[in-house]
Each structure stands twice: as C-alpha cells, then as structure tokens.
Amino acid sequence: RPIPPPMSVPPLHLPPGVSWIDTPDALAEVLPELRAAGEIAIDTEADSYYVYRVKVCLLQVSTRSSDYLIDPLKGLDLSPIGELCADPRVLKVFHAGANDVALLHHHHGFVFENLFDTMLAAQVLGLKRPGLAALLLERFEVEQKKTYQTSEWGQRPLTEGQLQYPAADTRF
C-alpha cells in the first residue's frame, strides 16, 4: 500500500482566507507576497506553559489581504522570514511583541528592523486597557476571544479552535 504524501494543510478546516504553511514549497510560494506587502503583522504561539525549554510552535503572518499560519515544528527553514524581518523597507506590526521578538531571535536568529508595537502605542496614548482583545472590542467592535492563548501549541494536530484563534490575532 503506498504511503500518502505529507499533508500540506491540517486535517481540520481553516478559517476563510487563511493558508497553512508547513512545506518549503508552500513557504516559497507566499514569500513574494510578503516581501511586496510593505507591512506585515506577526505573532507567535509557543509552548511556554507546558515545557521547560520554550520553542516557537506557530508563526502567524498577515498582510492586508492574506493570513498565514506557518508551522516551524515541521523543520522549515525560516531564514527567508528572518530576512523579511530584518528588511527596513517592510514594517513589522506586533502587539506586545517583546516575547515574540525575543523568541524568534533566540531560536531562529531573527534580527528586526522597522517595528511597530500596537500595545506600546496604546500605552503611549494613555489607554487604560492596552490588551489586544480590549483594543479590538473598544475601538473596532471586533470580539477576539483569548480562550486558546494558553493552549498546548506544541501538539499536533491543532484543534479547530486553535486554528481560528491565531489567524485573527494578526488579521486585526
């Protein structure tokens, strides 16, 4: 009986407009769009609540028109994303990005230029609730449930809820 090829998408349904990236070819295919975007939103999910040595388990990257969930646990070479993060021509938008930046630098050698952190901006503006869920609800009437924030992101397959949550983090 032949062995089926590795899956390039999770077995559950992805939210509309979200692409699952877990192969070198899939990553290579989206890089031109990411490079041309001019600005991208980035977030990570890690397994910090479940292991002694934390690792990046999911990398979310969004442009104004597309959302990508990149699976670093598949052994992908993330250096093209690192090059994008170091490119001063591309604005990288984070929310409370200190941990994301530190994890990506420590584990993947990423260096960042041209960052904007929406939580820091909210704090500078004196907003009382600078968390992402509060900002989205109060300013844009978008409800972002944080139910999956502390999920066990190192486990595969991810649940349907785990697939919904991270794409929305960078989409908004």
Side-chain angles (χ1 to χ4, degrees), residues 72-96:
L73 299 183
K74 290 289 191 168
L76 292 175
D77 174 12
L78 297 179
S79 61
I81 300 293
E83 291 167 10
L84 186 65
C85 289
D87 187 342
R89 297 169 297 179
V90 178
L91 176 66
K92 278 65 71 178
V93 179
F94 287 86
H95 186 84

PDB file of all heavy atoms in Angstrom, residues 72-96:
ATOM      1  N   PRO A  72       6.577  25.976  12.343  1.00  0.00           N
ATOM      2  CA  PRO A  72       8.021  25.753  12.490  1.00  0.00           C
ATOM      3  C   PRO A  72       8.355  24.350  12.993  1.00  0.00           C
ATOM      4  O   PRO A  72       9.499  23.920  12.872  1.00  0.00           O
ATOM      5  CB  PRO A  72       8.461  26.792  13.514  1.00  0.00           C
ATOM      6  CG  PRO A  72       7.272  27.528  13.945  1.00  0.00           C
ATOM      7  CD  PRO A  72       6.070  26.951  13.267  1.00  0.00           C
ATOM      8  N   LEU A  73       7.376  23.640  13.547  1.00  0.00           N
ATOM      9  CA  LEU A  73       7.643  22.297  14.058  1.00  0.00           C
ATOM     10  C   LEU A  73       7.862  21.295  12.932  1.00  0.00           C
ATOM     11  O   LEU A  73       8.292  20.168  13.178  1.00  0.00           O
ATOM     12  CB  LEU A  73       6.499  21.828  14.969  1.00  0.00           C
ATOM     13  CG  LEU A  73       6.258  22.696  16.211  1.00  0.00           C
ATOM     14  CD1 LEU A  73       5.155  22.093  17.060  1.00  0.00           C
ATOM     15  CD2 LEU A  73       7.532  22.884  17.015  1.00  0.00           C
ATOM     16  N   LYS A  74       7.606  21.688  11.691  1.00  0.00           N
ATOM     17  CA  LYS A  74       7.841  20.817  10.543  1.00  0.00           C
ATOM     18  C   LYS A  74       9.282  20.909  10.048  1.00  0.00           C
ATOM     19  O   LYS A  74       9.624  20.335   9.028  1.00  0.00           O
ATOM     20  CB  LYS A  74       6.890  21.187   9.392  1.00  0.00           C
ATOM     21  CG  LYS A  74       5.460  20.830   9.667  1.00  0.00           C
ATOM     22  CD  LYS A  74       5.273  19.327   9.634  1.00  0.00           C
ATOM     23  CE  LYS A  74       3.802  18.986   9.650  1.00  0.00           C
ATOM     24  NZ  LYS A  74       3.564  17.607   9.343  1.00  0.00           N
ATOM     25  N   GLY A  75      10.121  21.668  10.757  1.00  0.00           N
ATOM     26  CA  GLY A  75      11.527  21.761  10.374  1.00  0.00           C
ATOM     27  C   GLY A  75      11.787  22.692   9.206  1.00  0.00           C
ATOM     28  O   GLY A  75      12.817  22.565   8.544  1.00  0.00           O
ATOM     29  N   LEU A  76      10.883  23.614   8.956  1.00  0.00           N
ATOM     30  CA  LEU A  76      11.068  24.554   7.847  1.00  0.00           C
ATOM     31  C   LEU A  76      12.272  25.456   8.090  1.00  0.00           C
ATOM     32  O   LEU A  76      12.564  25.833   9.229  1.00  0.00           O
ATOM     33  CB  LEU A  76       9.837  25.459   7.699  1.00  0.00           C
ATOM     34  CG  LEU A  76       8.550  24.823   7.235  1.00  0.00           C
ATOM     35  CD1 LEU A  76       7.429  25.849   7.260  1.00  0.00           C
ATOM     36  CD2 LEU A  76       8.709  24.258   5.847  1.00  0.00           C
ATOM     37  N   ASP A  77      12.931  25.828   7.030  1.00  0.00           N
ATOM     38  CA  ASP A  77      13.978  26.843   7.086  1.00  0.00           C
ATOM     39  C   ASP A  77      13.268  28.193   7.116  1.00  0.00           C
ATOM     40  O   ASP A  77      12.698  28.619   6.111  1.00  0.00           O
ATOM     41  CB  ASP A  77      14.894  26.734   5.869  1.00  0.00           C
ATOM     42  CG  ASP A  77      15.918  27.848   5.795  1.00  0.00           C
ATOM     43  OD1 ASP A  77      16.085  28.596   6.790  1.00  0.00           O
ATOM     44  OD2 ASP A  77      16.554  27.978   4.740  1.00  0.00           O
ATOM     45  N   LEU A  78      13.271  28.836   8.263  1.00  0.00           N
ATOM     46  CA  LEU A  78      12.571  30.109   8.415  1.00  0.00           C
ATOM     47  C   LEU A  78      13.445  31.310   8.081  1.00  0.00           C
ATOM     48  O   LEU A  78      13.017  32.449   8.260  1.00  0.00           O
ATOM     49  CB  LEU A  78      12.027  30.241   9.841  1.00  0.00           C
ATOM     50  CG  LEU A  78      10.973  29.215  10.255  1.00  0.00           C
ATOM     51  CD1 LEU A  78      10.542  29.455  11.695  1.00  0.00           C
ATOM     52  CD2 LEU A  78       9.777  29.248   9.325  1.00  0.00           C
ATOM     53  N   SER A  79      14.649  31.084   7.570  1.00  0.00           N
ATOM     54  CA  SER A  79      15.541  32.214   7.286  1.00  0.00           C
ATOM     55  C   SER A  79      14.942  33.217   6.300  1.00  0.00           C
ATOM     56  O   SER A  79      15.199  34.417   6.449  1.00  0.00           O
ATOM     57  CB  SER A  79      16.913  31.729   6.828  1.00  0.00           C
ATOM     58  OG  SER A  79      16.827  30.981   5.648  1.00  0.00           O
ATOM     59  N   PRO A  80      14.121  32.817   5.317  1.00  0.00           N
ATOM     60  CA  PRO A  80      13.504  33.841   4.472  1.00  0.00           C
ATOM     61  C   PRO A  80      12.572  34.777   5.256  1.00  0.00           C
ATOM     62  O   PRO A  80      12.497  35.965   4.969  1.00  0.00           O
ATOM     63  CB  PRO A  80      12.719  33.042   3.430  1.00  0.00           C
ATOM     64  CG  PRO A  80      13.385  31.700   3.397  1.00  0.00           C
ATOM     65  CD  PRO A  80      13.859  31.465   4.805  1.00  0.00           C
ATOM     66  N   ILE A  81      11.908  34.255   6.268  1.00  0.00           N
ATOM     67  CA  ILE A  81      11.068  35.108   7.123  1.00  0.00           C
ATOM     68  C   ILE A  81      11.982  36.005   7.965  1.00  0.00           C
ATOM     69  O   ILE A  81      11.686  37.179   8.180  1.00  0.00           O
ATOM     70  CB  ILE A  81      10.139  34.267   8.020  1.00  0.00           C
ATOM     71  CG1 ILE A  81       9.212  33.390   7.177  1.00  0.00           C
ATOM     72  CG2 ILE A  81       9.344  35.162   8.962  1.00  0.00           C
ATOM     73  CD1 ILE A  81       8.187  34.123   6.358  1.00  0.00           C
ATOM     74  N   GLY A  82      13.103  35.447   8.408  1.00  0.00           N
ATOM     75  CA  GLY A  82      14.085  36.253   9.140  1.00  0.00           C
ATOM     76  C   GLY A  82      14.617  37.395   8.299  1.00  0.00           C
ATOM     77  O   GLY A  82      14.788  38.517   8.791  1.00  0.00           O
ATOM     78  N   GLU A  83      14.886  37.132   7.022  1.00  0.00           N
ATOM     79  CA  GLU A  83      15.355  38.193   6.123  1.00  0.00           C
ATOM     80  C   GLU A  83      14.291  39.274   5.967  1.00  0.00           C
ATOM     81  O   GLU A  83      14.608  40.467   5.941  1.00  0.00           O
ATOM     82  CB  GLU A  83      15.707  37.600   4.755  1.00  0.00           C
ATOM     83  CG  GLU A  83      16.929  36.710   4.783  1.00  0.00           C
ATOM     84  CD  GLU A  83      17.094  35.882   3.518  1.00  0.00           C
ATOM     85  OE1 GLU A  83      16.364  36.124   2.517  1.00  0.00           O
ATOM     86  OE2 GLU A  83      17.949  34.982   3.525  1.00  0.00           O
ATOM     87  N   LEU A  84      13.046  38.861   5.891  1.00  0.00           N
ATOM     88  CA  LEU A  84      11.944  39.804   5.801  1.00  0.00           C
ATOM     89  C   LEU A  84      11.864  40.673   7.063  1.00  0.00           C
ATOM     90  O   LEU A  84      11.639  41.878   6.986  1.00  0.00           O
ATOM     91  CB  LEU A  84      10.646  39.023   5.602  1.00  0.00           C
ATOM     92  CG  LEU A  84       9.380  39.786   5.337  1.00  0.00           C
ATOM     93  CD1 LEU A  84       9.457  40.509   4.000  1.00  0.00           C
ATOM     94  CD2 LEU A  84       8.196  38.829   5.342  1.00  0.00           C
ATOM     95  N   CYS A  85      12.072  40.052   8.225  1.00  0.00           N
ATOM     96  CA  CYS A  85      12.027  40.793   9.490  1.00  0.00           C
ATOM     97  C   CYS A  85      13.172  41.797   9.600  1.00  0.00           C
ATOM     98  O   CYS A  85      13.027  42.833  10.240  1.00  0.00           O
ATOM     99  CB  CYS A  85      12.047  39.819  10.668  1.00  0.00           C
ATOM    100  SG  CYS A  85      10.499  38.898  10.829  1.00  0.00           S
ATOM    101  N   ALA A  86      14.288  41.502   8.977  1.00  0.00           N
ATOM    102  CA  ALA A  86      15.442  42.408   9.017  1.00  0.00           C
ATOM    103  C   ALA A  86      15.357  43.509   7.956  1.00  0.00           C
ATOM    104  O   ALA A  86      16.132  44.465   7.998  1.00  0.00           O
ATOM    105  CB  ALA A  86      16.729  41.605   8.834  1.00  0.00           C
ATOM    106  N   ASP A  87      14.437  43.396   7.031  1.00  0.00           N
ATOM    107  CA  ASP A  87      14.309  44.355   5.936  1.00  0.00           C
ATOM    108  C   ASP A  87      13.671  45.648   6.435  1.00  0.00           C
ATOM    109  O   ASP A  87      12.491  45.648   6.814  1.00  0.00           O
ATOM    110  CB  ASP A  87      13.464  43.747   4.815  1.00  0.00           C
ATOM    111  CG  ASP A  87      13.416  44.600   3.564  1.00  0.00           C
ATOM    112  OD1 ASP A  87      13.726  45.813   3.622  1.00  0.00           O
ATOM    113  OD2 ASP A  87      13.042  44.053   2.507  1.00  0.00           O
ATOM    114  N   PRO A  88      14.403  46.763   6.429  1.00  0.00           N
ATOM    115  CA  PRO A  88      13.836  48.019   6.933  1.00  0.00           C
ATOM    116  C   PRO A  88      12.729  48.596   6.054  1.00  0.00           C
ATOM    117  O   PRO A  88      11.981  49.462   6.490  1.00  0.00           O
ATOM    118  CB  PRO A  88      15.041  48.961   6.984  1.00  0.00           C
ATOM    119  CG  PRO A  88      16.006  48.406   6.009  1.00  0.00           C
ATOM    120  CD  PRO A  88      15.786  46.917   5.994  1.00  0.00           C
ATOM    121  N   ARG A  89      12.583  48.088   4.841  1.00  0.00           N
ATOM    122  CA  ARG A  89      11.519  48.577   3.945  1.00  0.00           C
ATOM    123  C   ARG A  89      10.159  47.992   4.287  1.00  0.00           C
ATOM    124  O   ARG A  89       9.138  48.491   3.812  1.00  0.00           O
ATOM    125  CB  ARG A  89      11.865  48.264   2.499  1.00  0.00           C
ATOM    126  CG  ARG A  89      13.140  48.968   2.018  1.00  0.00           C
ATOM    127  CD  ARG A  89      13.581  48.418   0.702  1.00  0.00           C
ATOM    128  NE  ARG A  89      13.911  46.999   0.912  1.00  0.00           N
ATOM    129  CZ  ARG A  89      14.322  46.164  -0.020  1.00  0.00           C
ATOM    130  NH1 ARG A  89      14.439  46.574  -1.255  1.00  0.00           N
ATOM    131  NH2 ARG A  89      14.612  44.917   0.260  1.00  0.00           N
ATOM    132  N   VAL A  90      10.135  46.933   5.088  1.00  0.00           N
ATOM    133  CA  VAL A  90       8.880  46.279   5.459  1.00  0.00           C
ATOM    134  C   VAL A  90       8.597  46.576   6.931  1.00  0.00           C
ATOM    135  O   VAL A  90       9.418  46.272   7.794  1.00  0.00           O
ATOM    136  CB  VAL A  90       8.963  44.748   5.232  1.00  0.00           C
ATOM    137  CG1 VAL A  90       7.670  44.063   5.667  1.00  0.00           C
ATOM    138  CG2 VAL A  90       9.280  44.436   3.775  1.00  0.00           C
ATOM    139  N   LEU A  91       7.452  47.185   7.192  1.00  0.00           N
ATOM    140  CA  LEU A  91       7.028  47.459   8.563  1.00  0.00           C
ATOM    141  C   LEU A  91       6.503  46.170   9.181  1.00  0.00           C
ATOM    142  O   LEU A  91       5.656  45.483   8.586  1.00  0.00           O
ATOM    143  CB  LEU A  91       5.933  48.525   8.572  1.00  0.00           C
ATOM    144  CG  LEU A  91       5.319  48.836   9.934  1.00  0.00           C
ATOM    145  CD1 LEU A  91       6.363  49.473  10.852  1.00  0.00           C
ATOM    146  CD2 LEU A  91       4.120  49.754   9.769  1.00  0.00           C
ATOM    147  N   LYS A  92       7.008  45.821  10.358  1.00  0.00           N
ATOM    148  CA  LYS A  92       6.547  44.651  11.090  1.00  0.00           C
ATOM    149  C   LYS A  92       5.694  45.137  12.257  1.00  0.00           C
ATOM    150  O   LYS A  92       6.175  45.877  13.108  1.00  0.00           O
ATOM    151  CB  LYS A  92       7.713  43.815  11.622  1.00  0.00           C
ATOM    152  CG  LYS A  92       8.337  42.854  10.622  1.00  0.00           C
ATOM    153  CD  LYS A  92       9.019  43.487   9.451  1.00  0.00           C
ATOM    154  CE  LYS A  92      10.315  44.165   9.839  1.00  0.00           C
ATOM    155  NZ  LYS A  92      11.042  44.760   8.718  1.00  0.00           N
ATOM    156  N   VAL A  93       4.423  44.713  12.302  1.00  0.00           N
ATOM    157  CA  VAL A  93       3.490  45.135  13.338  1.00  0.00           C
ATOM    158  C   VAL A  93       3.289  43.978  14.305  1.00  0.00           C
ATOM    159  O   VAL A  93       2.963  42.862  13.899  1.00  0.00           O
ATOM    160  CB  VAL A  93       2.140  45.568  12.724  1.00  0.00           C
ATOM    161  CG1 VAL A  93       1.159  45.980  13.812  1.00  0.00           C
ATOM    162  CG2 VAL A  93       2.356  46.697  11.715  1.00  0.00           C
ATOM    163  N   PHE A  94       3.486  44.279  15.577  1.00  0.00           N
ATOM    164  CA  PHE A  94       3.284  43.318  16.662  1.00  0.00           C
ATOM    165  C   PHE A  94       2.301  43.920  17.657  1.00  0.00           C
ATOM    166  O   PHE A  94       2.103  45.134  17.689  1.00  0.00           O
ATOM    167  CB  PHE A  94       4.600  43.064  17.415  1.00  0.00           C
ATOM    168  CG  PHE A  94       5.609  42.248  16.678  1.00  0.00           C
ATOM    169  CD1 PHE A  94       6.502  42.847  15.802  1.00  0.00           C
ATOM    170  CD2 PHE A  94       5.697  40.883  16.876  1.00  0.00           C
ATOM    171  CE1 PHE A  94       7.453  42.112  15.137  1.00  0.00           C
ATOM    172  CE2 PHE A  94       6.648  40.126  16.209  1.00  0.00           C
ATOM    173  CZ  PHE A  94       7.526  40.741  15.338  1.00  0.00           C
ATOM    174  N   HIS A  95       1.742  43.086  18.497  1.00  0.00           N
ATOM    175  CA  HIS A  95       1.035  43.560  19.686  1.00  0.00           C
ATOM    176  C   HIS A  95       1.714  42.890  20.868  1.00  0.00           C
ATOM    177  O   HIS A  95       1.733  41.666  20.951  1.00  0.00           O
ATOM    178  CB  HIS A  95      -0.456  43.209  19.668  1.00  0.00           C
ATOM    179  CG  HIS A  95      -1.168  43.826  20.818  1.00  0.00           C
ATOM    180  ND1 HIS A  95      -1.631  45.117  20.784  1.00  0.00           N
ATOM    181  CD2 HIS A  95      -1.422  43.369  22.060  1.00  0.00           C
ATOM    182  CE1 HIS A  95      -2.163  45.421  21.945  1.00  0.00           C
ATOM    183  NE2 HIS A  95      -2.046  44.361  22.742  1.00  0.00           N
ATOM    184  N   ALA A  96       2.283  43.700  21.748  1.00  0.00           N
ATOM    185  CA  ALA A  96       3.053  43.166  22.878  1.00  0.00           C
ATOM    186  C   ALA A  96       4.116  42.212  22.350  1.00  0.00           C
ATOM    187  O   ALA A  96       4.208  41.055  22.752  1.00  0.00           O
ATOM    188  CB  ALA A  96       2.143  42.480  23.896  1.00  0.00           C
TER     189      ALA A  96
END
